[in-house]
Amino acid sequence: MARDTQTQLRNEMIYSVFVRNYSEAGNFAGVTADLQRIKDLGTDILWLLPINPIGEVNRKGTLGSPYAIKDYRGINPEYGTLADFKALTDRAHELGMKVMLDIVYNHTSPDSVLATEHPEWFYHDADGQLTNKVGDWSDVKDLDYGHHELWQYQIDTLLYWSQFVDGYRCDVAPLVPLDFWLEARKQVNAKYPETLWLAESAGSGFIEELRSQGYTGLSDSELYQAFDMTYDYDVFGDFKDYWQGRSTVERYVDLLQRQDATFPGNYVKMRFLENHDNARMMSLMHSKAEAVNNLTWIFMQRGIPLIYNGQEFLAEHQPSLFDRDTMVADRHGDVTPLIQKLVTIKQLPLLRAADYQLAVVEEGIVKITYRAAGEALTAWIPLKGQVTAVATKLAAGSYQNLLTDGPTEVVDGKLTVDGQPVLIKYVTNTAVTKVADQSN
């Protein structure tokens, strides 16, 4: 783990925005106009998908992928000017949010500034043409970090953007050498010491494929040497397998608990149910109630939760990365009050406690417990809306459910989970943080 990573990140929330599709305007001003709402949702870190000009050669769709970058140091003119971007970041900072910029250092568009000026910095096929290491990414060509001259160009680019933003989400970080990321963090943090680093890490299958072909494929454990946060892809597939009936919740929770022993003590995982690369959570969930339960789940896990624009409105359509596909009208509900409540709970210092335990109890309900300094918080979460009574060692009485602020009864060592999460904070030695003692 990066030694100076702060576990306070476990008390924060990321909100992700694709500028093109965020508003009808499809530009920086359209995002800036809505920043107060984003802040009011509970956002600490605003993550912007790439804002750079997009290549034209081999472009996918009408407007192209924001991940096929033409100029690392430029602004996509469709979004506005540098002044418009600065107005966005300035307003976000005024509201107390940090801004994280998406950078794409594995590849560029075939007609990028670097491909034109420094073609020697790329991989080439047998015919000498620019190519990719792996994958069918037809709209990009891969950079070759064996050319050390490339490193300082990329780091200088980060130093340039750091005058406006507070951190970086690093696209396909496992494909770029660890030594580069270490040097980039060293130089950037020397000038901007609180810079945030999020790696788009990968699942084991992708890492194995890369390594089998002789390419760099960094594991989460390697990435944590340079990054503050990594993706949850090492277990996200198991979560989907559980939801789709291909695996058990016990296997999934066991893998989650193993994270806590596998990674450094100050590790931070980004927990999510959806993002710009994956289907909306409502493709897995079948009701607002299930969405409520699973949003509670990602907030209560150890790590930093991600909300992708539209998720707060239970959006169902996965917007295109290649064309205008405005998300404004894709609203099928509103869980803003729930997210705001979860943010309040997430901010409790107890949720970065060292003592963190996961278990599966009656009827497949997931139980999470944090303990520190004589107090504890336990959450029982029925991911699929289970209704049952669970065993508990809490003293008989009435406790406050932090999620609803209503009472929850413990009777004869049993607590009822009625299809919704129950979150109780209590003193560990006496368990007497009751809103009323029904036993008297």
Side-chain angles (χ1 to χ4, degrees):
M1 189 74 184
R3 295 190 178 189
D4 54 352
T5 294
Q6 300 299 306
T7 56
Q8 186 176 340
L9 285 167
R10 297 172 180 169
N11 299 112
E12 299 184 3
M13 185 183 87
I14 300 172
Y15 187 87
S16 176
V17 165
F18 182 17
V19 174
R20 176 194 293 165
N21 290 338
Y22 185 81
S23 67
E24 292 290 354
N27 57 20
F28 292 132
V31 178
T32 304
D34 205 34
L35 284 177
Q36 184 67 61
R37 186 195 69 83
I38 294 173
K39 174 61 179 178
D40 290 344
L41 187 65
T43 302
D44 299 286
I45 302 168
L46 176 67
W47 158 24
L48 300 175
L49 269 65
I51 61 165
N52 312 101
I54 295 169
E56 297 177 9
V57 174
N58 294 348
R59 176 177 283 190
K60 291 184 178 180
T62 305
L63 299 176
S65 167
Y67 292 91
I69 290 175
K70 188 172 185 176
D71 181 1
Y72 285 127
R73 300 180 182 181
I75 292 283
N76 187 338
E78 299 166 17
Y79 293 173
T81 64
L82 180 62
D84 296 325
F85 175 65
K86 188 174 184 299
L88 189 163
T89 59
D90 286 348
R91 179 58 178 153
H93 291 149
E94 288 172 6
L95 291 170
M97 291 184 287
K98 295 181 178 180
V99 180
M100 188 163 59
L101 193 61
D102 208 324
I103 63 166
V104 188
Y105 272 11
N106 177 67
H107 48 257
T108 74
S109 68
D111 55 342
S112 70
V113 170
L114 289 189
T116 302
E117 297 181 358
H118 292 284
E120 72 276 11
W121 290 353
F122 289 76
Y123 280 91
H124 297 79
D125 63 20
D127 296 323
Q129 300 300 308
L130 272 58
T131 188
N132 300 332
K133 297 190 294 290
V134 292
D136 183 26
W137 296 344
S138 61
D139 58 342
V140 296
K141 301 302 177 184
D142 284 7
L143 289 159
D144 181 358
Y145 281 80
H147 296 274
H148 208 82
E149 301 87 351
L150 168 64
W151 290 30
Q152 198 58 49
Y153 180 93
Q154 299 291 59
I155 293 170
D156 287 344
T157 300
L158 294 172
L159 289 167
Y160 167 74
W161 289 115
S162 291
Q163 64 185 304
F164 308 111
V165 302
D166 310 282
Y168 300 99
R169 178 268 185 189
C170 302
D171 188 65
V172 289
L175 278 70
V176 177
L178 177 61
D179 284 345
F180 168 79
W181 292 126
L182 290 168
E183 182 62 22
R185 183 184 180 109
K186 176 183 176 181
Q187 290 193 36
V188 172
N189 282 41
K191 189 170 183 180
Y192 302 96
E194 296 185 3
T195 300
L196 299 172
W197 297 83
L198 166 63
E200 185 198 17
S201 51
S204 59
F206 186 50
I207 299 303
E208 289 169 1
E209 177 187 352
L210 288 168
R211 292 178 176 180
S212 70
Q213 298 183 53
Y215 295 117
T216 296
L218 301 178
S219 67
D220 284 39
S221 295
E222 290 171 298
L223 289 166
Y224 272 132
Q225 297 177 55
F227 288 87
D228 301 302
M229 300 169 279
T230 67
Y231 269 49
D232 207 11
Y233 280 147
D234 54 326
V235 294
F236 186 60
D238 298 277
F239 172 74
K240 291 194 292 185
D241 284 347
Y242 159 64
W243 259 98
Q244 295 169 345
R246 296 191 296 267
S247 186
T248 66
V249 69
E250 286 83 3
R251 170 178 164 76
Y252 167 55
V253 170
D254 178 63
L255 291 171
L256 283 171
Q257 188 71 75
R258 288 173 188 238
Q259 284 182 338
D260 221 46
T262 301
F263 301 132
N266 62 338
Y267 81 100
V268 181
K269 274 285 178 182
M270 187 177 75
R271 310 294 184 180
F272 55 87
L273 297 173
E274 62 180 58
N275 58 47
H276 69 274
D277 282 324
N278 285 273
R280 293 289 194 178
M281 69 175 180
M282 297 311 291
S283 68
L284 287 175
M285 315 293 120
H286 303 101
S287 66
K288 180 177 179 179
E290 289 182 349
V292 167
N293 294 351
N294 286 269
L295 281 167
T296 304
W297 167 235
I298 66 165
F299 272 81
M300 290 305 300
Q301 288 181 64
R302 171 165 285 172
I304 186 168
L306 168 71
I307 297 295
Y308 179 44
N309 169 228
Q311 189 172 1
E312 67 270 42
F313 300 117
L314 305 182
E316 296 179 354
H317 172 64
Q318 182 179 354
S320 171
L321 283 176
F322 314 121
D323 297 287
R324 284 284 278 140
D325 197 1
T326 305
M327 295 184 263
V328 173
D330 191 11
R331 301 188 177 196
H332 304 274
D334 189 352
V335 290
T336 294
L338 169 71
I339 293 172
Q340 291 170 329
K341 185 67 172 180
L342 289 169
V343 165
T344 300
I345 296 168
K346 190 70 173 172
Q347 291 171 344
L348 294 171
L350 189 54
L351 266 71
R352 58 177 185 269
D355 189 349
Y356 166 74
Q357 299 296 324
L358 296 168
V360 178
V361 294
E362 290 85 345
E363 302 298 327
I365 290 173
V366 178
K367 177 184 174 184
I368 304 175
T369 301
Y370 292 88
R371 294 185 182 89
E375 62 178 2
L377 191 155
T378 297
W380 293 265
I381 303 177
L383 296 180
K384 294 187 175 181
Q386 303 95 311
V387 176
T388 191
V390 298
T392 178
K393 293 182 179 180
L394 289 173
S398 182
Y399 297 80
Q400 183 184 44
N401 184 345
L402 298 181
L403 193 62
T404 64
D405 293 325
T408 292
E409 310 297 326
V410 173
V411 179
D412 296 331
K414 293 284 187 177
L415 180 149
T416 298
V417 178
D418 193 13
Q420 297 179 325
V422 177
L423 282 59
I424 295 176
K425 185 170 177 284
Y426 52 95
V427 176
T428 54
N429 55 351
T430 58
V432 293
T433 50
K434 305 174 187 178
V435 292
D437 190 344
Q438 301 292 321
S439 63
N440 290 332

